[in-house]
Amino acid sequence: MRKVAILGSTGSIGVNALNVIRELPGRFRVVGLAAHSNSALVAEQAREFGAEVVTMFEDAASARLKKDLVGGARHAPSGVEGLCELASHPGVDVVLTSVVGGVGFAPLLAAIRAGKTVALANKEPMVMAGAQFMREAERWGARIVPVDSEPSAIFQCVQGLNPDPKAVAPLKTIRRVLLTASGGAFGSYEGDLADVTPAQAMNHPTWKMGKKITIDCATLMNKGFELIEIMNLFGLKREQVEIVIHPQSIFHSGVEFSDGSVLAQMGLPDMKLPIQYGLTFPERATRVIEPLDLVKIGTLDFKRPDFTRFPCLSLACEAARKGGGMPAVLSAADEVAVEAFIARAIRFTDIPRVVEKTMAAYTVSGGLPSFQEVVEIDAWARAKAKEHLR
Ligand code: MG
């Protein structure tokens, strides 16, 4: 029985993970649950799954949970401290990280240093310091299994390849990765993007997800983050990744090998599959999603992204090329800008403007920053981005 902790159990990934666990009885034990503020749902989840440790990120929610959930579970401290406690809990094998944004940085590091298998849905930390996290994972014998649909697709395509370059089929035989994007809420929108509302940006054509990631899909920043994430996960160079718009979200991404053969992972857009694979890896369990009916779908379309209309994608590519602390600056500035857009303090087209100005104020120096330096760069970039909101 695999023992699981879920960081972000009330979001769309967390809820779907519990659906997967419910559908595979006897396979998992839910040891820990953590969420931001929905204490009522955490209490319900903790009772159903018999969680041993629970925590809420917000202090007030933590107090509510203590009142709601009497007996049984132990309450870890609120805030990042509690997330880190769950992530490194000795009774946990797999940590699913599905919190939103840079807040997942310290818990990811804690899980890695405790040698856990990390089912990773929270991509921002892998943007901020992905190469450092991969190195740290190797050092502590931890394993990172991406849960995000496209990185999971690539991960599934390279199973059987060996990281050792002298192996029969080394990871080095990857020539190119085809990273697909749905195009987000405005993929086929022809109006002025300066006038769009948060509600319009939240209207994603194929995936139902949380606010931050859905806005990131609408600006295409999400694809830029995935570019940086997969470069770090699979040791790729910027020019080895081709970003392709694919509105149906059926071809979840593919890998071209040295001989020109392309393997792709396909399926209906349903996060339950990559979540389940993240939890059961390296095994495959029973089918959790509807079967793929290619005839019913009929057509799969592909086109190049519009880097001019969606400047966030260009900014992410620039951060990927510059490396060092720049991806952390990109991620922090985006988080500040997206929050401001959701609060209707800035326009949709101000998001790339804030990110660009923040990046312009930062100079990459030296090699890869340490984890501590990344935390400092993140704090600096958040403060700088806030200056540019005005
Ligand atoms: Mg994705």
Side-chain angles (χ1 to χ4, degrees), residues 11 59 65 70 93 98 143 191 233 272 332 348 360 382 384-385:
D59 290 340
L65 185 66
V70 189
D93 307 311
S98 49
R143 178 134 219 182
L233 280 169
K272 284 211 292 291
F348 184 77
R382 280 169 200 268
K384 202 77 194 164

Side-chain angles (χ1 to χ4, degrees), residues 149-342:
S149 61
E150 299 81 2
S152 168
I154 297 160
F155 186 78
Q156 292 181 56
C157 290
V158 302
Q159 286 317 301
L161 294 190
N162 195 320
D164 180 355
K166 291 187 291 294
V168 177
L171 265 182
K172 271 191 150 179
T173 57
I174 299 177
R175 178 192 279 164
R176 202 164 60 110
V177 162
L178 303 168
L179 175 65
T180 51
S182 67
F186 304 122
S188 54
Y189 183 76
E190 283 172 5
D192 190 346
L193 289 174
D195 302 327
V196 300
T197 64
Q200 280 175 286
M202 281 300 296
N203 191 19
H204 195 283
T206 49
W207 298 101
K208 288 280 154 275
M209 304 174 290
K211 272 186 195 168
K212 161 82 170 34
I213 186 168
T214 309
I215 305 291
D216 282 339
C217 285
T219 62
L220 291 193
M221 182 61 97
N222 182 57
K223 211 45 58 179
F225 284 168
E226 284 175 10
L227 162 74
I228 298 169
E229 183 186 6
I230 64 170
M231 283 168 63
N232 290 324
L233 280 169
F234 306 105
L236 302 167
K237 296 190 185 79
R238 163 67 195 98
E239 56 274 19
Q240 282 179 286
V241 183
E242 186 182 348
I243 299 168
V244 184
I245 302 290
H246 166 49
Q248 292 92 352
S249 301
I250 298 294
F251 180 112
H252 296 310
S253 283
V255 176
E256 183 187 317
F257 295 93
S258 52
D259 58 0
S261 174
V262 175
L263 291 191
Q265 190 266 328
M266 295 198 264
L268 290 178
D270 187 332
M271 282 309 294
K272 284 211 292 291
L273 177 70
I275 291 168
Q276 175 173 291
Y277 189 68
L279 293 174
T280 62
F281 174 82
E283 289 161 41
R284 285 192 183 274
T286 48
R287 180 159 58 76
V288 273
I289 63 170
E290 289 298 308
L292 178 62
D293 185 341
L294 283 174
V295 174
K296 196 170 153 195
I297 291 157
T299 316
L300 299 180
D301 297 301
F302 301 94
K303 62 176 183 180
R304 260 178 235 301
D306 186 339
F307 287 84
T308 314
R309 193 159 158 83
F310 298 99
C312 282
L313 191 54
S314 304
L315 292 167
C317 292
E318 188 191 325
R321 262 191 305 269
K322 292 204 165 140
M326 197 57 97
V329 173
L330 175 88
S331 177
D334 177 68
E335 206 168 324
V336 169
V338 169
E339 257 169 47
F341 172 66
I342 291 170

Side-chain angles (χ1 to χ4, degrees), residues 69-109:
L69 189 66
V70 189
R74 191 169 62 74
H75 294 262
S78 59
V80 174
E81 194 188 340
L83 293 176
C84 291
E85 191 181 314
L86 254 65
S88 58
H89 189 284
V92 166
D93 307 311
V94 183
V95 181
L96 172 66
T97 64
S98 49
V99 297
V100 181
V103 75
F105 189 90
L108 175 60
L109 189 54

